[in-house]
Amino acid sequence: METTTKQKVEEIFRLYEIHGTDDYIGEPVSQVEHMTQAALLAEQQGYDEEVILAAFFHDFGHLCADETTEHMDGYGVTDHEKLGADYLRAVGFSEKIARLVESHVQAKRYLTFKNPDYYNNLSEASKKTLEFQGGRMSVSEAAAFEGEEWFQLYLQMRYWDEQAKEMNIPVPDLSIYKDMALRHLEK
């Protein structure tokens, strides 16, 4: 029996129901608070639904990981960006969404290479995860990253990721993102 688009979306959002209230790896917000805040920032800045969905899904790899997945000493899932992107690709989300999800960690590595003040302003949890994520980029890695098609969007995703850690911001109804996901997959 083939899985329908609606069933695929329901499965994704079931993971938000199960794991969304989990602590966001040393930050003062939950997983779902963090991801909805990132999506709200994208929406407030006038981005389209594809980018809003990428912001909402950017840390989805933490939710879809299983017990065999390697962890970063209490700071979430190692390679969560790739895990989330691969899951979203397999379900049928666009390559743009998958690449935005997959590249938000590389954007942190890039920004810490390019701007020492960026590193100094990271939270302690984000500095710790950077160690597991390869640290600052090298000159050659940064040059290659700058040549990527959605480079500026990768950086924007990273900025939203850093900003989306505010306490006491109400979580919007997740049906907003569920409906967006359905529209996207039905295109």
Side-chain angles (χ1 to χ4, degrees):
M1 177 180 197
E2 187 176 323
T3 305
T4 68
T5 301
K6 186 172 173 70
Q7 289 169 322
K8 291 174 185 178
V9 170
E10 290 296 332
E11 181 179 314
I12 289 168
F13 282 83
R14 185 177 57 75
L15 293 172
Y16 277 92
E17 290 170 14
I18 294 168
H19 302 291
T21 58
D22 292 354
D23 175 59
Y24 177 61
I25 57 169
E27 303 291 356
V29 293
S30 69
Q31 293 281 351
V32 75
E33 287 171 322
H34 174 64
M35 288 187 263
T36 57
Q37 285 180 32
L40 286 169
L41 288 165
E43 184 177 9
Q44 290 165 357
Q45 292 178 24
Y47 285 89
D48 63 24
E49 287 190 353
E50 195 171 29
V51 174
I52 294 167
L53 281 171
F56 178 71
F57 289 136
H58 80 276
D59 275 340
F60 183 70
H62 290 300
L63 306 184
C64 67
D66 62 29
E67 60 280 344
T68 66
T69 307
E70 186 178 340
H71 286 72
M72 299 181 285
D73 290 344
Y75 288 97
V77 176
T78 306
D79 295 329
H80 73 281
E81 69 282 9
K82 181 168 177 17
L83 185 63
D86 288 348
Y87 187 104
L88 295 168
R89 276 187 191 99
V91 170
F93 284 92
S94 71
E95 184 60 19
K96 184 175 183 179
I97 288 176
R99 290 293 299 143
L100 291 174
V101 168
E102 196 166 48
S103 296
H104 78 279
V105 167
Q106 294 304 315
K108 177 169 70 169
R109 294 186 61 228
Y110 173 83
L111 288 166
T112 58
F113 160 79
K114 199 72 169 172
N115 180 358
D117 285 338
Y118 181 83
Y119 177 83
N120 295 334
N121 291 319
L122 289 176
S123 68
E124 287 308 309
S126 200
K127 287 177 182 175
K128 186 67 177 168
T129 58
L130 180 63
E131 295 172 23
F132 288 93
Q133 295 162 337
R136 291 181 171 108
M137 280 188 171
S138 67
V139 172
S140 61
E141 287 174 317
F145 192 64
E146 289 169 346
E148 297 253 343
E149 178 181 4
W150 295 303
F151 169 70
Q152 291 299 326
L153 268 177
Y154 299 157
L155 298 183
Q156 189 58 61
M157 289 284 294
R158 187 73 224 168
Y159 294 131
W160 294 329
D161 190 0
E162 293 303 329
Q163 295 168 356
K165 299 173 183 175
E166 297 294 321
M167 294 172 51
N168 303 317
I169 303 229
V171 173
D173 184 342
L174 294 188
S175 67
I176 295 165
Y177 305 109
K178 189 183 284 189
D179 291 344
M180 271 186 211
L182 277 168
R183 281 194 298 274
H184 178 79
L185 290 174
E186 289 173 345
K187 279 188 196 177

